[in-house]
Amino acid sequence: MQYSRLPPWPFIDPDSPPRGYQKVGQSKDEAHSTPNYPQIWHFFIYDRHLIISIKEWLAPDDSSPGEFVYQQYEYPIAGVRWFIDSIDRFFLHPDDPNAIPRGKFNIREEIDGEVLGVTRGAAYGGRYTPGYSFDNLNRIEHSTQSEGPFCQMFEMGDPWLFDDGLFDLFKEIAERHERGEF
C-alpha cells in the first residue's frame, strides 16, 4: 500500500536543539554502542511531535577527518501512547480479542493524520536479537548522509526496550503528555 509522503523534518543537533524544542529524555542503545561510539538517542517534543534524534561521529578510516552525522524520526506525540498499547497487544493471549493475530508481525493505524505502525522483527536489536520498530509510514527514512525510499522505522531490540529502560521512557513521555505537560 502506498502512503502519502510528508516533507522531511529539519535535522536538529541534539546537543544544541533549536529554540522551542523540549528535551524529554535520552536512552543508550547498548547493543549498537562501542566504547568510542556510544549510541545515545535523544527525545524531544516540538509542535505536538516526538522527535527522536542521534548525533554520531563518523570517521570512515584513519586518513579521513570524519564528521558528525544525524539521524532522526518523527511521530505525532499522541502516537507514543498508541505505540505502548500496541506493544502490549503482542503479549496478550492469542484468544484475547485485542491480541495481535497469530502470524501477524505488524499493525498500523492513523494517529493525528499520520499512519503509524509497530513491527516485530527478528534482528532489530542486532544479529539474533529480536525487537520492535516504531514506524511512521508517511515519513521517509532520512539522515544527513542519505534519504531512503522506505518509511521511518525506529528499531529497538528487546533488551534495550525492556531491560535498559527505553519502554519506561516511552511510558513516561506518554504520561507527561496526558498530564498536559506538552
Side-chain angles (χ1 to χ4, degrees):
M1 177 174 256
Q2 188 71 9
Y3 296 95
S4 63
R5 297 285 186 216
L6 296 172
W9 201 277
F11 289 105
I12 63 168
D13 181 342
D15 296 331
S16 180
R19 181 183 212 122
Y21 280 71
Q22 179 181 359
K23 186 166 183 179
V24 293
Q26 68 182 42
S27 183
K28 183 177 180 184
D29 181 359
E30 296 287 351
H32 293 103
S33 291
T34 65
N36 293 333
Y37 299 102
Q39 297 285 301
I40 300 173
W41 289 88
H42 304 266
F43 293 71
F44 295 91
I45 302 296
Y46 180 75
D47 192 29
R48 302 186 45 79
H49 280 77
L50 172 69
I51 296 92
I52 305 172
S53 178
I54 192 168
K55 175 182 179 179
E56 300 176 87
W57 181 255
L58 181 65
D61 55 51
D62 292 337
S63 65
S64 173
E67 66 180 320
F68 281 111
V69 295
Y70 301 87
Q71 185 177 5
Q72 68 185 34
Y73 300 87
E74 306 94 19
Y75 308 92
I77 186 62
V80 177
R81 174 57 66 194
W82 178 84
F83 170 73
I84 294 163
D85 293 345
S86 296
I87 294 287
D88 287 343
R89 291 179 58 200
F90 280 91
F91 292 94
L92 295 174
H93 189 278
D95 293 334
D96 188 303
N98 290 323
I100 302 299
R102 289 179 198 194
K104 190 165 182 181
F105 297 99
N106 63 23
I107 57 172
R108 63 183 67 101
E109 186 174 331
E110 185 173 317
I111 307 292
D112 286 348
E114 297 184 45
V115 180
L116 304 183
V118 174
T119 302
R120 179 73 171 151
Y124 285 169
R127 191 172 182 175
Y128 308 120
T129 305
Y132 295 87
S133 68
F134 189 13
D135 313 330
N136 188 329
L137 286 78
N138 295 115
R139 296 187 184 272
I140 58 169
E141 189 80 30
H142 64 131
S143 75
T144 54
Q145 289 192 301
S146 67
E147 190 172 284
F150 305 108
C151 72
Q152 291 185 3
M153 296 178 72
F154 180 61
E155 297 176 358
M156 303 153 272
D158 287 349
W160 183 23
L161 194 58
F162 301 116
D163 300 332
D164 297 337
L166 183 57
F167 199 60
D168 291 333
L169 176 59
F170 277 111
K171 286 179 181 179
E172 177 187 329
I173 291 169
E175 289 165 2
R176 290 179 65 191
H177 168 66
E178 291 160 358
R179 287 194 304 262
E181 291 184 34
F182 35 79

